[in-house]
Short mmCIF file of all heavy atoms in Angstrom, two decimals:
data_model
loop_
_atom_site.label_atom_id
_atom_site.label_comp_id
_atom_site.label_asym_id
_atom_site.label_seq_id
_atom_site.Cartn_x
_atom_site.Cartn_y
_atom_site.Cartn_z
N VAL B 102 187.56 80.20 74.34
CA VAL B 102 186.62 80.26 75.46
C VAL B 102 187.42 80.40 76.74
O VAL B 102 188.35 79.63 76.99
CB VAL B 102 185.75 78.98 75.52
CG1 VAL B 102 184.73 79.09 76.64
CG2 VAL B 102 185.05 78.76 74.20
N ILE B 103 187.08 81.43 77.52
CA ILE B 103 187.78 81.68 78.79
C ILE B 103 186.79 81.48 79.93
O ILE B 103 185.68 82.01 79.88
CB ILE B 103 188.32 83.13 78.86
CG1 ILE B 103 188.96 83.57 77.55
CG2 ILE B 103 189.25 83.30 80.06
CD1 ILE B 103 190.32 83.07 77.29
N ASP B 104 187.20 80.70 80.89
CA ASP B 104 186.35 80.48 82.07
C ASP B 104 187.19 80.76 83.31
O ASP B 104 188.22 80.11 83.51
CB ASP B 104 185.84 79.03 82.05
CG ASP B 104 184.66 78.86 82.97
OD1 ASP B 104 184.22 79.86 83.58
OD2 ASP B 104 184.16 77.71 83.10
N GLN B 105 186.75 81.70 84.08
CA GLN B 105 187.45 82.06 85.32
C GLN B 105 188.95 82.33 85.05
O GLN B 105 189.82 81.81 85.72
CB GLN B 105 187.30 80.94 86.37
CG GLN B 105 185.89 80.53 86.68
CD GLN B 105 185.00 81.69 87.15
OE1 GLN B 105 185.48 82.64 87.73
NE2 GLN B 105 183.72 81.60 86.84
N HIS B 106 189.20 83.14 84.08
CA HIS B 106 190.55 83.64 83.76
C HIS B 106 191.52 82.57 83.27
O HIS B 106 192.74 82.79 83.26
CB HIS B 106 191.16 84.39 84.96
CG HIS B 106 190.35 85.58 85.34
ND1 HIS B 106 190.42 86.77 84.65
CD2 HIS B 106 189.42 85.76 86.30
CE1 HIS B 106 189.57 87.64 85.18
NE2 HIS B 106 188.96 87.05 86.17
N SER B 107 191.02 81.42 82.89
CA SER B 107 191.90 80.44 82.24
C SER B 107 191.19 79.91 80.99
O SER B 107 189.96 79.96 80.89
CB SER B 107 192.28 79.30 83.18
OG SER B 107 191.16 78.50 83.42
N ILE B 108 191.98 79.41 80.07
CA ILE B 108 191.39 78.96 78.80
C ILE B 108 190.63 77.65 79.00
O ILE B 108 191.18 76.69 79.54
CB ILE B 108 192.50 78.79 77.73
CG1 ILE B 108 193.08 80.17 77.39
CG2 ILE B 108 191.97 78.10 76.49
CD1 ILE B 108 194.24 80.13 76.44
N ALA B 109 189.37 77.66 78.57
CA ALA B 109 188.55 76.44 78.66
C ALA B 109 188.68 75.63 77.38
O ALA B 109 188.76 74.40 77.41
CB ALA B 109 187.10 76.81 78.91
N SER B 110 188.71 76.32 76.25
CA SER B 110 188.90 75.61 74.97
C SER B 110 189.32 76.59 73.88
O SER B 110 189.05 77.79 73.98
CB SER B 110 187.62 74.88 74.56
OG SER B 110 186.61 75.80 74.27
N VAL B 111 189.95 76.04 72.87
CA VAL B 111 190.36 76.82 71.69
C VAL B 111 189.95 76.00 70.47
O VAL B 111 190.10 74.79 70.45
CB VAL B 111 191.89 77.06 71.67
CG1 VAL B 111 192.28 77.93 70.48
CG2 VAL B 111 192.37 77.69 72.96
N LYS B 112 189.44 76.70 69.47
CA LYS B 112 189.02 75.99 68.25
C LYS B 112 189.32 76.84 67.03
O LYS B 112 189.08 78.05 67.04
CB LYS B 112 187.51 75.73 68.34
CG LYS B 112 186.99 74.71 67.37
CD LYS B 112 185.57 74.33 67.74
CE LYS B 112 185.08 73.19 66.89
NZ LYS B 112 183.72 72.79 67.24
N ILE B 113 189.87 76.21 66.01
CA ILE B 113 190.08 76.93 64.74
C ILE B 113 188.76 76.88 63.96
O ILE B 113 188.28 75.80 63.62
CB ILE B 113 191.20 76.27 63.91
CG1 ILE B 113 192.50 76.16 64.70
CG2 ILE B 113 191.42 77.02 62.59
CD1 ILE B 113 193.22 77.43 64.98
N LEU B 114 188.18 78.04 63.71
CA LEU B 114 186.90 78.09 62.99
C LEU B 114 187.12 78.18 61.48
O LEU B 114 186.32 77.65 60.71
CB LEU B 114 186.08 79.29 63.46
CG LEU B 114 185.82 79.38 64.97
CD1 LEU B 114 184.91 80.55 65.28
CD2 LEU B 114 185.20 78.09 65.50
N ALA B 115 188.16 78.86 61.08
CA ALA B 115 188.47 78.95 59.64
C ALA B 115 189.97 79.01 59.46
O ALA B 115 190.65 79.79 60.14
CB ALA B 115 187.81 80.18 59.02
N TYR B 116 190.47 78.17 58.57
CA TYR B 116 191.91 78.13 58.29
C TYR B 116 192.09 78.35 56.80
O TYR B 116 191.53 77.61 56.00
CB TYR B 116 192.50 76.78 58.73
CG TYR B 116 194.00 76.80 58.73
CD1 TYR B 116 194.69 77.28 59.84
CD2 TYR B 116 194.72 76.36 57.64
CE1 TYR B 116 196.07 77.34 59.84
CE2 TYR B 116 196.10 76.41 57.64
CZ TYR B 116 196.77 76.89 58.75
OH TYR B 116 198.14 76.95 58.75
N ARG B 117 192.83 79.39 56.45
CA ARG B 117 192.90 79.77 55.03
C ARG B 117 194.28 79.58 54.41
O ARG B 117 194.45 79.83 53.23
CB ARG B 117 192.45 81.22 54.87
CG ARG B 117 191.03 81.46 55.39
CD ARG B 117 190.66 82.93 55.43
NE ARG B 117 189.34 83.14 56.01
CZ ARG B 117 189.11 83.33 57.29
NH1 ARG B 117 190.11 83.33 58.15
NH2 ARG B 117 187.88 83.51 57.76
N GLU B 118 195.26 79.20 55.23
CA GLU B 118 196.60 78.96 54.69
C GLU B 118 196.61 77.61 53.97
O GLU B 118 195.81 76.73 54.29
CB GLU B 118 197.64 78.89 55.83
CG GLU B 118 197.72 80.14 56.69
CD GLU B 118 198.56 81.23 56.07
OE1 GLU B 118 198.96 81.09 54.90
OE2 GLU B 118 198.79 82.24 56.75
N SER B 119 197.53 77.47 53.02
CA SER B 119 197.57 76.20 52.29
C SER B 119 198.29 75.11 53.09
O SER B 119 198.07 73.92 52.87
CB SER B 119 198.25 76.39 50.94
OG SER B 119 199.50 77.00 51.12
N ARG B 120 199.16 75.51 54.02
CA ARG B 120 199.88 74.51 54.83
C ARG B 120 199.83 74.88 56.31
O ARG B 120 199.65 76.05 56.65
CB ARG B 120 201.33 74.41 54.37
CG ARG B 120 201.49 73.58 53.12
CD ARG B 120 202.93 73.48 52.72
NE ARG B 120 203.40 74.74 52.16
CZ ARG B 120 204.66 74.95 51.80
NH1 ARG B 120 205.56 74.02 51.96
NH2 ARG B 120 205.02 76.09 51.27
N GLY B 121 200.01 73.90 57.15
CA GLY B 121 200.08 74.17 58.59
C GLY B 121 198.76 73.96 59.31
O GLY B 121 198.63 74.30 60.48
N GLY B 122 197.79 73.38 58.61
CA GLY B 122 196.46 73.20 59.20
C GLY B 122 196.40 72.20 60.35
O GLY B 122 195.35 72.04 60.97
N GLU B 123 197.54 71.57 60.65
CA GLU B 123 197.54 70.59 61.75
C GLU B 123 197.19 71.24 63.09
O GLU B 123 196.77 70.55 64.01
CB GLU B 123 198.92 69.92 61.87
CG GLU B 123 199.34 69.09 60.68
CD GLU B 123 200.00 69.92 59.58
OE1 GLU B 123 199.95 71.16 59.64
OE2 GLU B 123 200.55 69.31 58.65
N VAL B 124 197.36 72.55 63.17
CA VAL B 124 197.08 73.22 64.45
C VAL B 124 195.62 73.04 64.88
O VAL B 124 195.31 73.19 66.05
CB VAL B 124 197.36 74.75 64.42
CG1 VAL B 124 198.81 75.05 64.50
CG2 VAL B 124 196.70 75.40 63.24
#
Side-chain angles (χ1 to χ4, degrees):
Chain B
V102 183
I103 317 282
D104 197 2
Q105 306 304 331
H106 298 282
S107 70
I108 293 176
S110 66
V111 183
K112 195 168 187 179
I113 304 290
L114 305 184
Y116 192 84
R117 301 171 184 90
E118 301 279 8
S119 53
R120 281 181 287 176
E123 296 85 348
V124 283

